Amino acid sequence: MKQEIKPVHGMWASRWVFILAATGSAVGLGNIWRFPYITGENGGGAFVLLYLLCIAVVGIPIMAAEVMLGRKGGLSPINSMRKVAADSKVTQRWASIGYLGALSAFLILSFYSAVASWALYYAWEAARGVFEGVTATQSEAHFNDMLANPGLLLGYHTLFMVLTMVVVARGVKGGLEKAVQILMPLLFVLLVVLVGYAATTPGFKEGVSFLFAFDFSKLTGKAIIVAVGQAFFTLSLGMGAIMAYGAYMPKEVKD
């Protein structure tokens, strides 16, 4: 009988925690910042329907496959693909999928860590009341001043990476699981507050119209490619994250 492989970092306590973690991996700038303007530029509500179709037809099957591969391998994406390939008696070249996922995750981290460090700085500045009554021109100047200060950028980037490493080093239960149980509900509350605030500002109706008005004439081939790409980004596909999260799923949890 083959010995069951258990991830050294622990296992998720339940399917619900896995869903929270997967949601935390997916919901970010790609949905909150990027999605609204690409939706408005590509047909509004018509693009939303196309995007949801891509999620259902392309995204969810690939996501399910990544979770199953992770559960089957029970290791990192690279080693999971090696193990699954060996068990299936096929070429070890399938491990290249794991390497590509790890490379994608590294490149995404390179981008997100920089933007997240900006967010940390802006959170501190907002707490100090720096942005009270500022104009658009002053806000732009403040951002440019931040970018022109390499010491400031390095300091906040280092702070973000240290916080990230602390969470990851504590493993699944003591780190990721506790983090998502706090941060994901907090994110939901923040989104509700932001939507409520936006509803009180001028131009809200125009923004909603820009986002959801149906314009099928803009559903070009380019829009289809954008929708498929957004579906991959939304579900964190092709970067090894979902496969890794699947490896932490307890075997007794049914699919």
Side-chain angles (χ1 to χ4, degrees), residues 31-53:
N31 288 311
I32 298 173
W33 170 53
R34 183 173 182 265
F35 182 75
Y37 79 79
I38 65 170
T39 298
E41 290 178 347
N42 292 280
F47 178 82
V48 173
L49 293 179
L50 175 62
Y51 162 74
L52 293 176
L53 179 64

Side-chain angles (χ1 to χ4, degrees), residues 131-153:
F131 301 115
E132 293 183 8
V134 298
T135 64
T137 302
Q138 291 171 330
S139 178
E140 181 182 6
H142 188 81
F143 181 72
N144 291 332
D145 289 341
M146 178 193 70
L147 295 182
N149 190 336
L152 179 70
L153 294 175

Side-chain angles (χ1 to χ4, degrees), residues 23-242:
T23 303
S25 174
V27 177
L29 292 179
N31 288 311
I32 298 173
W33 170 53
R34 183 173 182 265
F35 182 75
Y37 79 79
I38 65 170
T39 298
E41 290 178 347
N42 292 280
F47 178 82
V48 173
L49 293 179
L50 175 62
Y51 162 74
L52 293 176
L53 179 64
C54 291
I55 288 284
V57 176
V58 180
I60 292 179
I62 294 177
M63 183 177 186
E66 286 200 28
V67 172
M68 288 188 290
L69 286 170
R71 292 192 69 181
K72 176 69 174 178
L75 298 166
S76 68
I78 296 173
N79 290 322
S80 285
M81 290 305 301
R82 283 175 176 168
K83 181 178 182 299
V84 172
D87 292 344
S88 303
K89 297 180 180 180
V90 297
T91 175
Q92 285 292 307
R93 293 176 181 175
W94 283 101
S96 61
I97 294 177
Y99 281 105
L100 289 174
L103 176 61
S104 298
F106 173 77
L107 295 175
I108 291 171
L109 175 64
S110 301
F111 163 72
Y112 266 92
S113 60
V115 178
S117 65
W118 299 349
L120 285 178
Y121 171 69
Y122 265 65
W124 169 249
E125 293 291 88
R128 295 198 303 129
V130 172
F131 301 115
E132 293 183 8
V134 298
T135 64
T137 302
Q138 291 171 330
S139 178
E140 181 182 6
H142 188 81
F143 181 72
N144 291 332
D145 289 341
M146 178 193 70
L147 295 182
N149 190 336
L152 179 70
L153 294 175
L154 180 60
Y156 275 93
H157 186 269
T158 301
L159 174 60
F160 172 76
M161 291 304 298
V162 168
L163 292 174
T164 301
M165 288 187 290
V166 167
V167 173
V168 174
R170 293 176 64 86
V172 173
K173 286 187 176 296
L176 292 173
E177 196 167 288
K178 288 185 178 180
V180 298
Q181 287 176 331
I182 296 172
L183 296 179
M184 290 311 298
L186 179 60
L187 175 62
F188 177 76
V189 171
L190 289 174
L191 288 176
V192 171
V193 171
L194 286 174
V195 171
Y197 171 76
T200 66
T201 60
F204 179 74
K205 290 183 179 180
E206 291 79 2
V208 172
S209 177
F210 173 78
L211 187 59
F212 294 114
F214 284 79
D215 187 354
F216 287 95
S217 66
K218 292 185 177 180
L219 292 185
T220 62
K222 178 182 177 181
I224 295 174
I225 295 175
V226 171
V228 173
Q230 184 65 27
F232 269 73
F233 211 88
T234 294
L235 299 177
S236 293
L237 302 178
M239 55 175 284
I242 300 301

